[in-house]
Amino acid sequence: MSEAVAGAVAERFTQLYGSEPEGVWAAPGRVNLIGEHTDYNDGFVMPFALPHTAVAAVSRREDGVLRLHSADTGADVVELRVADLAPQSDKSWTAYPSGVVWALREAGHEVTGADVHLASTVPSGAGLSSSAALEVVIALALNDLFSLGLRGWQLARLCQRAENVYVGAPVGIMDQTAAACCEAGHALFLDTRDLSQRQIPFDLAAEGMRLLVVDTQVKHSHSEGEYGKRRAGCEKGAALLGVDALRDVPYADLDAALERLGDEEEVRRLVRHVVTEDERVERVVALLESGDTRAIGPVLVEGHASLRDDFRISCPELDLVVDTALASGALGARMTGGGFGGSAIVLAEESDVPAITKSVEEAFAAAGFTAPRVFEAVPSAGARRVR
């Protein structure tokens, strides 16, 4: 993120509140390379941070007042009292930052108010975790300003609680951990059960490859209810199999586990996806660590087929991206994020990127779909203070 962006956010803060901010922080959106819908099943995920960030200029207050402003909404400054913050009392964008304040205070941290101005370049509704970026940038700023001493994974936990309880969205831990903990040039191999992490080198440019994000421009507005259904189905599967979470079903025992589920066809499909997806994450880690990066392409394609056919969360636009990219020479492609729209990722040789991009854009036009937004995803740094 450029100094000019940080300067512009700080300048707008000064215009709004009449004094300079105490600091400026940034937290990124994320792309999940592999490991979809495994996080709330105690499984494995492998996100990396985008260069697109939520940026916050923040100053402390001692009077219990929280003032929030976003450059992206066009709305006026919203003023709240920290003592009055209550779960699911706010249905606007302010629920994300105010939820973080609530979660910090609920955890016993003395946060006495703040002035905040936000601006974000993370595409909203594209499945790239714009909400987690917003939460984490606020958490990091308040952690620094109030000297709370919390580490990245602890901030991620609190942000997840803010979204689960305050906002009311049943998200897993991946997005917040990615925003808080990713490193530039790496993908984050995260065990969502114990939050153990390994930074896996992932520098595609050095090997002559690129990873594209194709934002279908389809907003997954109806996905919350469907997400909840699938989460409940996964929990039912774990209960029927007598395990704490689907992560505890060994890949080698999958066929036997599916047999035990009998005629619970929908649960069988969900279980099959989660167990095979955890195995795919481990395969991708092994391939990257062995230097065989191109070989992850077919694994990404397997993941898309599983999300499309077993988890049933793809859509015609996402399938068109994947099919067209593969037909145009891509090494691999799959939908990424929660599903029902959002984005797909495409792994390709650098020399093939223009032709793949053109083919996808032409296929969308021929199908009568809204033109997609295509950009390169460069593994970038996690949350940090920038000024």
Side-chain angles (χ1 to χ4, degrees), residues 38-117:
T38 50
D39 60 345
Y40 54 82
N41 290 290
D42 282 3
F44 305 124
V45 294
M46 202 172 183
F48 63 89
L50 288 167
H52 306 73
T53 57
V55 183
V58 186
S59 288
R60 286 169 291 185
R61 295 181 69 100
E62 307 295 335
D63 60 358
V65 172
L66 176 65
R67 293 196 292 183
L68 302 169
H69 185 267
S70 170
D72 308 310
T73 66
D76 294 334
V77 173
V78 175
E79 185 169 314
L80 304 165
R81 295 203 61 81
V82 297
D84 297 337
L85 299 177
Q88 301 191 46
S89 60
D90 185 351
K91 299 303 179 186
S92 74
W93 71 270
T94 55
Y96 296 97
S98 61
V100 171
V101 175
W102 171 85
L104 285 166
R105 287 170 56 84
E106 279 284 297
H109 301 292
E110 191 69 17
V111 176
T112 54
D115 287 338
V116 177
H117 171 62

Side-chain angles (χ1 to χ4, degrees), residues 252-268:
D253 298 344
L254 176 59
D255 288 344
L258 295 177
E259 282 290 315
R260 287 168 56 201
L261 291 171
D263 60 0
E264 292 276 0
E265 183 54 39
E266 185 173 354
V267 175
R268 283 164 57 93

Side-chain angles (χ1 to χ4, degrees), residues 30 32 36-37 126-128 174 307 313 334-339 341 343:
R30 65 95 189 98
N32 194 21
E36 219 65 77
H37 289 271
L128 303 175
M174 175 181 67
L307 289 162
I313 57 171
R334 75 171 190 91
M335 59 154 287
T336 188
S343 298

Side-chain angles (χ1 to χ4, degrees), residues 46 198 200 280-292 296:
M46 202 172 183
R198 271 165 52 206
I200 310 296
R280 281 186 284 272
V281 177
E282 294 185 292
R283 243 192 300 162
V284 167
V285 170
L287 289 168
L288 291 179
E289 291 189 325
S290 69
D292 196 5
I296 74 172

Side-chain angles (χ1 to χ4, degrees), residues 37-38 41 234 246 270-278 311:
H37 289 271
T38 50
N41 290 290
C234 290
L246 293 183
L270 298 177
V271 170
R272 182 165 53 222
H273 167 72
V274 173
V275 176
T276 58
E277 187 80 345
D278 274 334
F311 230 67

Side-chain angles (χ1 to χ4, degrees), residues 295-329:
I296 74 172
V299 189
L300 302 183
V301 179
E302 284 178 36
H304 182 76
S306 183
L307 289 162
R308 180 192 64 210
D309 301 337
D310 276 343
F311 230 67
R312 299 189 183 183
I313 57 171
S314 190
C315 66
E317 292 86 351
L318 288 168
D319 293 340
L320 185 60
V321 174
V322 171
D323 294 345
T324 304
L326 293 174
S328 304

Side-chain angles (χ1 to χ4, degrees), residues 87-88 90-91 95-96 99 135 161-169:
Q88 301 191 46
D90 185 351
K91 299 303 179 186
Y96 296 97
E135 292 157 1
R161 177 165 167 76
E163 192 154 352
N164 287 170
V165 180
Y166 195 91
V167 178

